[in-house]
């Protein structure tokens, strides 16, 4: 079953605009990660935020985490056509010695030149 | 290049057959994860191995099995294949299973069952 749910499912913006994607999840987590996937290719890790962190930056990426609302957001500033891809949030859960990384269904971002 | 190698890249086989997908993790990574990605189901977690031991199971069918060998490479065996098993199968590796670290993904094996 999916742990994270991204919103919106699809987003189309113009180059230079900011893109915001949201992720909601259901159970407690150790961390939340965002990944990017270009069509049919492997996923690439973008950023990891731990459950005791509220905000993290990496280049043009900004991630927030609100554990009370069980939600996270990914902001891509000054978007470029090359940012066109699917973006997934993934939640890391550790139940005892078992560790899962569970992905949502993703947001398809299209950045128009 | 993530450092994770998956073979083969493409596989076409008939229903009822058995196939083996192979994954070599990044050097030094002890954890290997297998995922199935299809249009309707999204990215489904199948199974996680750490240093040769199974650590977590997801939505893995009984017809599917996996193992991680002493050299840390992993194989995913899919048997009695059905049309619905057609999907992209990804392997990912990470340094450690607990606490959470980033996972590095291979380029996937595209399985087509005809």
């Amino acid at each position: 079953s999916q742990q994270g749910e991204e919103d919106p499912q699809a987003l189309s913006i113009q180059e230079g605009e900011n893109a915001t994607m949201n992720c909601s999840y259901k159970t407690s987590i150790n961390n939340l990660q965002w990944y990017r996937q270009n069509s049919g290719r492997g996923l690439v890790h973008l950023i990891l935020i731990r459950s005791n962190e509220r905000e993290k930056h990496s280049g043009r990426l900004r991630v927030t985490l609100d554990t009370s609302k069980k939600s996270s957001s990914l902001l891509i500033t000054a978007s470029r056509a090359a940012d066109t891809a699917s973006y997934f949030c993934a939640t890391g859960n550790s139940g005892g010695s078992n560790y899962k990384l569970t992905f949502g269904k993703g947001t398809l971002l299209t950045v128009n030149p | 290049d993530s450092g994770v190698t998956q073979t083969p890249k493409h596989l076409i086989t008939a229903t009822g057959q058995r196939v083996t997908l192979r994954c070599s993790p990044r050097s030094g990574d002890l954890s290997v994860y297998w995922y199935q990605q299809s249009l309707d189901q999204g990215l489904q977690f199948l199974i996680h191995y750490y240093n040769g031991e199974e650590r977590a199971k997801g939505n893995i069918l009984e017809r599917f099995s996996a193992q991680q060998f002493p050299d840390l490479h992993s194989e995913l065996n899919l048997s009695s294949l059905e049309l619905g098993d057609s999907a992209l199968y990804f392997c990912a590796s990470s340094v450690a299973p607990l606490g959470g670290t980033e996972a590095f993904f291979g380029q996937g094996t595209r399985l087509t069952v005809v």
Side-chain angles (χ1 to χ4, degrees):
Chain A
S1 62
Q2 304 299 131
Q3 161 73 308
E5 292 289 336
E6 290 92 343
D7 170 56
Q9 290 186 348
L11 180 61
S12 182
I13 60 174
Q14 295 300 122
E15 219 169 13
E17 294 180 340
N18 295 341
T20 299
M21 289 159 267
N22 302 297
C23 170
S24 59
Y25 57 93
K26 296 173 185 171
T27 64
S28 62
I29 60 172
N30 295 95
N31 64 72
L32 188 141
Q33 306 180 34
W34 285 90
Y35 287 79
R36 163 198 168 122
Q37 183 182 33
N38 287 81
S39 180
R41 300 184 64 81
L43 282 77
V44 175
H45 181 265
L46 296 176
I47 196 164
L48 180 154
I49 185 166
R50 302 197 185 280
S51 58
N52 60 354
E53 297 175 312
R54 292 295 167 259
E55 189 171 312
K56 207 159 182 182
H57 296 255
S58 176
R60 293 184 296 113
L61 306 180
R62 173 179 168 249
V63 168
T64 61
L65 179 64
D66 186 336
T67 52
S68 66
K69 294 182 179 177
K70 291 187 168 60
S71 68
S72 172
S73 68
L74 169 68
L75 168 68
I76 304 175
T77 59
S79 63
R80 305 165 182 168
D83 294 328
T84 295
S86 290
Y87 291 82
F88 295 86
C89 71
T91 50
N93 305 87
S94 179
S97 62
N98 299 326
Y99 180 73
K100 298 181 183 181
L101 190 59
T102 310
F103 286 80
K105 290 199 171 183
T107 292
L108 177 60
L109 173 66
T110 302
V111 181
N112 302 300
Chain B
D1 182 7
S2 66
V4 178
T5 303
Q6 287 188 249
T7 56
K9 286 187 170 51
H10 301 276
L11 198 49
I12 301 175
T13 190
T15 53
Q17 294 298 303
R18 171 190 168 95
V19 296
T20 298
L21 312 184
R22 183 188 168 101
C23 169
S24 293
R26 283 190 331 153
S27 176
D29 284 357
L30 299 179
S31 270
V32 169
Y33 309 81
W34 284 98
Y35 290 86
Q36 178 194 58
Q37 186 177 37
S38 60
L39 281 174
D40 56 341
Q41 293 294 319
L43 203 62
Q44 296 284 322
F45 168 72
L46 296 179
I47 199 163
H48 168 214
Y49 274 87
Y50 176 74
N51 202 21
E53 288 185 17
E54 181 187 302
R55 282 298 182 93
K57 250 182 178 175
N59 301 322
I60 187 166
L61 300 171
E62 285 191 13
R63 300 182 286 108
F64 296 1
S65 65
Q67 55 184 323
Q68 186 179 28
F69 295 87
D71 67 353
L72 301 176
H73 91 272
S74 178
E75 292 181 356
L76 179 67
N77 299 296
L78 315 176
S79 61
S80 303
L81 285 167
E82 302 174 359
L83 295 178
D85 297 327
S86 295
L88 260 173
Y89 291 84
F90 287 105
C91 158
S93 74
S94 66
V95 168
L98 301 175
T101 57
E102 63 186 288
F104 294 86
F105 279 76
Q107 290 301 304
T109 293
R110 183 172 293 280
L111 174 66
T112 303
V113 183
V114 296

